[in-house]
Amino acid sequence: MYWTTYMLRYLEEHADEGAEAIAEALGCSVHAVEVQASRYGVSLRKRWRCPRCGMVTFRPLSTVTGWCSNCTKEARRDRIAEEVRALEEEVRRQEREDRERQRLYSRKHRAKKKLRKREK
Ligand SMILES: [Zn+2]
């Protein structure tokens, strides 16, 4: 198979997308792409750029977040921290509510006691 200048340039410019993607784009076999790449010393190792932090990574981006693994971990940690804050706030509200109720019960008890004294 004859490689045109266009194809060779495409190979160089899209090397980070991997052999399969280039083969599909140029309509040739993966093997042909690999042979040309090795002939011209082009690395076909697939790379991804994380849209969140801008780092280039050799590991696929998360299918869930579309980010690199570090960004995905950070986002998960942020979510957990948010959950912890919400739970802590709930506990504080419950404690406040319990104290308030306790205070009211005490007042009620004292008021009843005063009433009983007057009735005697
Ligand atoms: Zn990232």
Side-chain angles (χ1 to χ4, degrees), residues 8 12 17 19 22 24 27 35 58 63 75-76 93 99 111 115:
L8 288 173
E12 271 178 355
E17 292 169 18
I22 296 167
E24 199 179 320
V35 168
F58 290 104
T63 51
R76 193 179 305 141
R93 279 185 63 191
R99 271 198 308 274
L115 273 180

Side-chain angles (χ1 to χ4, degrees), residues 8-64:
L8 288 173
R9 192 178 304 137
Y10 189 93
L11 171 68
E12 271 178 355
E13 286 171 358
H14 296 261
D16 61 354
E17 292 169 18
E20 277 175 41
I22 296 167
E24 199 179 320
L26 296 180
C28 60
S29 70
V30 171
H31 178 70
V33 171
E34 286 167 350
V35 168
Q36 289 298 320
S38 102
R39 182 175 294 163
Y40 288 96
V42 174
S43 167
L44 289 171
R45 193 168 176 194
K46 223 168 159 176
R47 274 155 283 190
W48 290 268
R49 186 176 290 278
C50 173
R52 187 174 186 251
C53 67
M55 293 290 286
V56 169
T57 170
F58 290 104
R59 291 168 61 197
L61 300 173
S62 162
T63 51
V64 178

